[in-house]
Amino acid sequence: MTETILKRWDRELVIAGVAVLFLLPLFGIPPKIYLTLTIAGLAMGMLLFLVASGVSIILGLMDVLNFAHGALFAWGAYVGFSTFKFLERWVQADSVLLNFGAFAAAIVCAMAVVAVLGMVLERVLVRRVYGNHLFQILITFGATIVLVEMIRVIWGPNDDVMAVPLTFQGNWDVFDVIIDRYRIICILIGALVFGVVQLVLKKTKLGLIVRAGVENRDMVQAMGHNIFLLFTGVFAVGAGLAALGGLAMSIFSLQVYPDMGSTYLLFAFIVVIIGGLGSVTGSLVGALIVGLSYNYVAYLVPWAAAGVNIIIMIIILLIRPKGLFTAGK
């Protein structure tokens, strides 16, 4: 009986748990600071979602452990860095239109270049080790080393300062609550990406095939769809999302460096494990949990901030071993 009730109200219980986690810090944090921390946490969560959604889609649909995702993330940041250098006048112009034009160009260039890299990676390396997680880990880890060394050869081994379009700089003061402009842009980008991915997955024939592939790969192939072409496309999309995350995160942190992907890959896997493998909605919820809890705990108990997400992940795994949401949701 209890199990039936839990299954029936499964989604509502998850939402209620997230809402409690969201509101609980109000007991220990003044409202204005709470709002500032919440916006910072939402922005961080959306940035992590951009990285984790690609990991989740590739792992959920293709059953591939892609440890090269962090290197693709760094490539996205560096391609965006070069685009900003090329369009330096647009980046520094006192014009909203030119600033957003430079940002849009950086997004297109980063996602296109890294998507092609992802396709090459899938066709040359990953396709040979489908179904073998140990070889996938080894071969994608090796690809990470190659891709990071290529960054050092092309852009140099040192850290670089990432340019920020003029419009993205500064803060808004809303009723004495300081709101960083770029954090709002990150929240909007994350919400837009989530909406587009959900639209494609749930409202298009391609999305139907992808979701069917999550449930039963052999059935999709038996129906005449080229599963390998589909996998290449999915891998390219996942790589493109990693590039978008890398570009957005590099502007947020104001720097690019060759090993930056490894820093955020751990967070991405924590998000995917919390949200559930192959679930885009789960990745969003997991990313928001990680982003919000990190900011709240960093304010209340600074020494525990680094470990709070590991603790949350362990608790969720004990209660729901497959994560908060099921694959394809």
Side-chain angles (χ1 to χ4, degrees):
M1 181 68 180
T2 304
E3 187 178 348
T4 304
I5 293 173
L6 286 174
K7 191 174 181 180
R8 180 179 300 174
W9 295 95
D10 187 61
R11 188 171 181 177
E12 287 73 12
L13 287 172
V14 169
I15 294 172
V18 173
V20 169
L21 184 67
F22 180 71
L23 295 173
L24 197 59
L26 265 175
F27 290 102
I29 303 176
K32 288 181 181 178
I33 296 177
Y34 172 78
L35 285 174
T36 303
L37 292 173
T38 299
I39 292 171
L42 289 174
M44 181 179 174
M46 285 302 189
L47 289 169
L48 292 176
F49 165 70
L50 294 177
V51 187
S53 57
V55 175
S56 181
I57 290 173
I58 291 174
L59 184 56
L61 175 60
M62 303 172 63
D63 194 29
V64 170
L65 286 167
N66 179 23
F67 275 68
H69 204 79
L72 297 172
F73 171 94
W75 264 85
Y78 270 95
V79 173
F81 169 77
S82 293
T83 307
F84 276 177
K85 293 277 281 185
F86 183 73
L87 299 173
E88 193 172 0
R89 289 186 179 179
W90 289 19
V91 174
Q92 296 178 353
D94 187 12
S95 166
V96 174
L97 191 62
L98 289 179
N99 290 166
F100 274 96
F103 186 53
I107 290 175
V108 171
C109 291
M111 293 187 72
V113 170
V114 178
V116 171
L117 267 180
M119 292 171 70
V120 173
L121 188 65
E122 193 275 337
R123 293 292 297 270
V124 176
L125 297 178
V126 176
R127 184 171 293 187
R128 301 170 187 271
V129 292
Y130 281 151
N132 190 322
H133 286 161
L134 178 59
F135 283 159
Q136 287 168 9
I137 293 171
L138 294 174
I139 207 165
T140 55
F141 184 73
T144 297
I145 296 172
V146 173
L147 289 171
V148 171
E149 289 304 315
M150 287 173 65
I151 288 176
R152 289 194 172 96
V153 170
I154 297 172
W155 285 282
N158 299 320
D159 298 10
D160 284 297
V161 177
M162 186 68 177
V164 180
L166 198 60
T167 304
F168 297 2
Q169 299 176 21
N171 305 302
W172 288 305
D173 187 343
V174 182
F175 301 111
D176 291 335
V177 176
I178 304 302
I179 300 174
D180 187 286
R181 291 182 186 178
Y182 185 62
R183 285 176 176 168
I184 298 299
I185 293 172
C186 291
I187 293 171
L188 294 177
I189 292 173
L192 179 64
V193 169
F194 175 72
V196 170
V197 172
Q198 288 292 83
L199 185 67
V200 172
L201 283 178
K202 295 189 175 179
K203 300 294 182 183
T204 66
K205 184 179 179 181
L206 177 63
L208 183 65
I209 297 171
V210 169
R211 286 189 290 129
V214 173
E215 300 293 335
N216 192 326
R217 186 186 308 173
D218 294 333
M219 180 196 70
V220 171
Q221 196 164 7
M223 291 177 68
H225 298 290
N226 187 336
I227 196 72
F228 292 108
L229 181 62
L230 179 66
F231 279 6
T232 303
V234 170
F235 205 93
V237 170
L241 289 172
L244 178 58
L247 171 63
M249 188 65 83
S250 63
I251 298 174
F252 185 77
S253 61
L254 303 176
Q255 63 177 344
V256 289
Y257 53 96
D259 289 322
M260 64 185 295
S262 58
T263 306
Y264 298 101
L265 188 61
L266 174 62
F267 281 104
F269 275 107
I270 291 174
V271 166
V272 170
I273 292 170
I274 290 175
L277 303 181
S279 169
V280 177
T281 303
S283 294
L284 177 66
V285 174
L288 293 179
I289 290 174
V290 170
L292 289 169
S293 58
Y294 181 86
N295 278 274
Y296 293 147
V297 174
Y299 177 81
L300 292 169
V301 193
W303 59 268
V308 65
N309 292 314
I310 300 292
I311 295 172
I312 290 175
M313 182 181 70
I314 292 171
I315 293 172
I316 289 177
L317 284 178
L318 289 173
I319 300 172
R320 297 173 64 89
K322 293 185 178 180
L324 294 175
F325 290 80
T326 54
K329 302 297 182 183

